[in-house]
């Protein structure tokens, strides 16, 4: 026996995107919230109930198919700097999410930015020096007199112009630097998502280390007024190894920027899909859920613990939003008329002006599913709204995505 005292707080977590299912990739550090990375290992033991003349003659379990579960929480963070020049190096945490979402724009390693606004243009049609690196369908950040704002490019009609919807609150600043965001979106192709692998190790023990392969996940966002934005990851996978795996536990720098809180200047747009002018809707609470719909394809043979790969198998409603606002008959009108709406929640970091960066959730087409419910809060009457995403069947690619999660 060689018992050890190992501190949970002194730990590290690595992640990598697998190029081949259930095969160890190269790993890089991700940084969860302290003490939230929790591993559960299953050996798939099968009971052996062989007959015996002795009543208490218990038989050894028979080893079956391995599996594992990993829970962790991480702060939602901005990029280390705005994307307005050079090439994109995607932070490892976003690489993990992109593997499960299936789509990322701009792609890792792509040229970004290198463009500024030309003549001022309008709130919904912006002239730029070059539109070469801007992808149609992306959320962008464009400066105005009100600072950087989040918009979406819905078309590039030519002559280096961008059509925006949702657009800006006012005209763009002339000669201002346009910044791109890392846009993650779900792809419905069955083989588009990838599996991920993890390493979890305690710094106080060289013997308490885990490697987890063939992982898929689900995510949930925690958006609390006055608190830090948090993303919960619930991953599950196949092959695992534990013991002294020579995983380094040295301190590593964070490849992302600072955590972001739901503090001042968060902006919510909820308006008809054709209404491009940005108008903030006051709100009191919001919850956003994205259903990645991932599962394993079964394979009774092979060496991958009963799985052959990853599939996006389910999810008619990819995004669901629960929203609490002051009473407004417009919500009832939209519900009754089954009006197609667009929803954008843009939460800034603590900076101001053109240095401001954002986290954004966007549903280009959604509807209020059930009658707005009157509720009481602090002696006041509010409306409780439930919305879910739709797709634009006339569009393709990024424009047809039911929802975006963007980091700038």
């Amino acid at each position: 026996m060689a018992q050890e005292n190992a501190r949970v707080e002194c730990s590290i977590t690595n992640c990598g995107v697998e190029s081949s299912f259930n095969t160890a990739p190269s790993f890089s550090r991700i940084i969860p919230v302290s003490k939230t990375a929790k591993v559960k290992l299953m050996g798939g033991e099968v009971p052996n109930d062989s007959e015996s003349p002795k009543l208490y003659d218990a038989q050894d379990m028979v080893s079956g198919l391995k599996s594992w579960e990993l829970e962790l929480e991480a702060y939602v963070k901005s990029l280390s700097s705005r994307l307005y020049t050079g090439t994109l190096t995607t932070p490892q945490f976003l690489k993990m999410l992109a593997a499960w979402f299936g789509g990322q724009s701009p792609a890792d390693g792509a040229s970004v930015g290198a463009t500024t606004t030309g003549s001022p243009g309008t709130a919904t049609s912006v002239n730029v020096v070059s539109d070469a690196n801007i992808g149609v369908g992306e959320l962008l950040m464009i400066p105005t007199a009100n600072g950087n704002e989040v918009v979406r490019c819905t078309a590039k009609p030519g002559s280096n112009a961008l059509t925006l919807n949702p657009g800006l609150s006012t005209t763009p600043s002339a000669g201002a630097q346009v910044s791109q965001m890392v846009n993650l979106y779900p792809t419905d192709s069955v083989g588009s998502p990838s599996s991920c692998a993890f390493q979890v190790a305690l710094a106080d023990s060289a013997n308490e280390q885990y490697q987890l392969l063939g992982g898929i996940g689900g995510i949930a966002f925690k958006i609390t007024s006055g608190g830090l934005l948090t993303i919960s990851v619930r991953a599950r996978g196949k092959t695992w190894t534990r013991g002294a795996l020579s995983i380094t536990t040295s301190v590593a720098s964070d490849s992302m920027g600072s955590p972001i809180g739901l503090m001042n200047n968060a902006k919510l747009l909820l308006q008809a899909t054709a209404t491009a002018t940005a108008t903030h809707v006051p709100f009191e609470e919001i919850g956003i859920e994205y259903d990645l719909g991932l599962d394993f394809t079964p394979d009774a043979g092979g060496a991958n613990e009963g799985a052959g790969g990853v599939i996006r198998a389910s999810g008619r409603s990819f995004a669901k939003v629960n929203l609490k606002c002051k009473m407004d008959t417009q919500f009832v009108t939209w519900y009754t008329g089954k009006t197609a709406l667009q929803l954008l929640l843009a939460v800034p970091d603590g900076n101001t002006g053109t240095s401001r960066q954002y986290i954004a959730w966007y549903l280009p087409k959604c509807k209020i599913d059930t009658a707005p419910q009157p509720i009481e809060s602090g002696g006041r009457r509010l409306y409780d709204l439930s919305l879910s995403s739709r797709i634009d069947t006339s569009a393709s690619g990024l424009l047809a995505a039911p929802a975006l999660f963007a980091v700038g």
Side-chain angles (χ1 to χ4, degrees):
M1 301 288 289
Q3 294 183 342
E4 298 178 280
N5 287 315
R7 293 170 295 189
V8 176
E9 283 187 303
C10 300
S11 59
I12 64 96
T13 304
N14 295 327
C15 181
V17 178
E18 296 178 343
S19 58
S20 179
F21 174 67
N22 212 43
T23 301
S26 59
F27 291 91
S28 295
R29 190 70 54 85
I30 59 174
I31 301 180
V33 178
S34 180
K35 300 188 291 185
T36 63
K38 299 176 181 178
V39 179
K40 182 178 180 180
L41 307 176
M42 287 80 77
E45 291 80 11
V46 182
N48 176 7
D49 197 17
S50 297
E51 185 179 61
S52 172
K54 300 294 186 180
L55 178 60
Y56 298 117
D57 187 13
Q59 305 297 305
D60 292 342
M61 293 277 195
V62 177
S63 296
L65 298 174
K66 284 184 174 183
S67 61
W68 56 264
E69 295 176 0
L70 172 65
E71 297 182 0
L72 61 86
E73 293 185 356
Y75 294 127
V76 178
K77 301 176 182 179
S78 60
L79 299 178
S80 59
S81 60
R82 289 183 294 118
L83 294 180
Y84 58 85
T85 187
T87 57
L88 170 61
T89 300
T90 308
Q92 193 67 13
F93 191 83
L94 294 184
K95 283 185 178 180
M96 175 191 73
L97 295 183
W100 293 338
F101 271 79
Q104 175 182 327
S105 184
D108 186 45
S111 296
V112 295
T115 187
T116 57
T117 56
S119 57
T122 70
T124 57
S125 180
V126 176
N127 301 314
V128 292
V129 173
S130 171
D131 65 4
N133 295 330
I134 304 297
V136 174
E138 289 181 358
L139 293 179
L140 312 168
M141 297 185 298
I142 297 179
T144 71
N146 299 322
N148 255 353
E149 298 186 30
V150 176
V151 297
R152 192 188 198 198
C153 173
T154 54
K156 296 196 295 185
S159 300
N160 292 323
L162 307 179
T163 302
L164 307 178
N165 184 7
L168 299 161
S169 63
T170 184
T171 56
S173 300
Q177 192 72 57
V178 176
S179 302
Q180 291 179 261
M181 305 178 76
V182 177
N183 291 255
L184 305 183
Y185 61 97
T187 50
D188 61 3
S189 175
V190 292
S192 58
S194 300
S195 51
C196 293
F198 297 88
Q199 292 176 336
V200 179
L202 295 179
D204 286 345
S205 173
N207 300 312
E208 190 70 8
Q209 300 187 338
Y210 310 90
Q211 181 161 288
L212 316 171
L213 303 182
I216 57 177
I219 60 172
F221 300 103
K222 184 179 180 181
I223 305 172
T224 304
S225 180
L228 295 180
L229 305 179
T230 305
I231 182 169
S232 298
V233 176
R234 301 292 181 265
R236 57 191 175 96
K238 294 302 179 180
T239 298
W240 53 264
T241 308
R242 73 184 303 173
L245 305 180
S246 300
I247 299 172
T248 180
T249 56
S250 59
V251 175
S253 59
D254 193 345
S255 60
M256 299 194 71
S258 301
I260 288 181
L262 191 58
M263 311 297 184
N264 284 335
N265 299 312
K267 188 173 186 177
L268 175 70
L269 306 182
L270 182 61
Q271 53 203 42
T273 55
T275 302
T277 303
T279 303
H280 172 64
V281 175
F283 68 102
E284 302 199 13
E285 291 183 29
I286 190 168
I288 302 175
E289 297 180 8
Y290 285 176
D291 181 6
L292 299 180
L294 299 177
D295 207 345
F296 297 108
T297 55
D299 183 358
N304 293 321
E305 307 296 340
V310 175
I311 184 175
R312 196 180 310 282
S314 62
R316 285 290 191 191
S317 181
F318 176 77
K320 294 184 179 180
V321 178
N322 180 254
L323 183 62
K324 293 180 174 62
C325 298
K326 288 181 289 188
M327 293 180 64
D328 190 330
T329 57
Q330 182 64 66
F331 298 137
V332 178
T333 301
W334 282 336
Y335 160 70
T336 304
K338 300 187 182 299
T339 304
L341 306 169
Q342 57 176 320
L343 183 148
L344 171 68
L345 175 63
V347 182
D349 63 9
N351 295 316
T352 59
T354 58
S355 62
R356 178 180 287 165
Q357 296 172 247
Y358 284 89
I359 304 294
W361 294 262
Y362 180 59
L363 280 62
K365 187 176 182 181
C366 60
K367 294 187 178 182
I368 300 175
D369 293 319
T370 57
Q373 294 299 310
I375 60 172
E376 182 182 335
S377 176
R380 297 176 300 114
R381 185 73 75 186
L382 305 178
Y383 275 164
D384 189 342
L385 308 175
S386 296
L387 305 96
S388 62
S389 61
R390 306 291 193 270
I391 62 170
D392 183 355
T393 55
S394 66
S396 60
L398 187 53
L399 284 176
L404 304 178
F405 173 59
V407 179

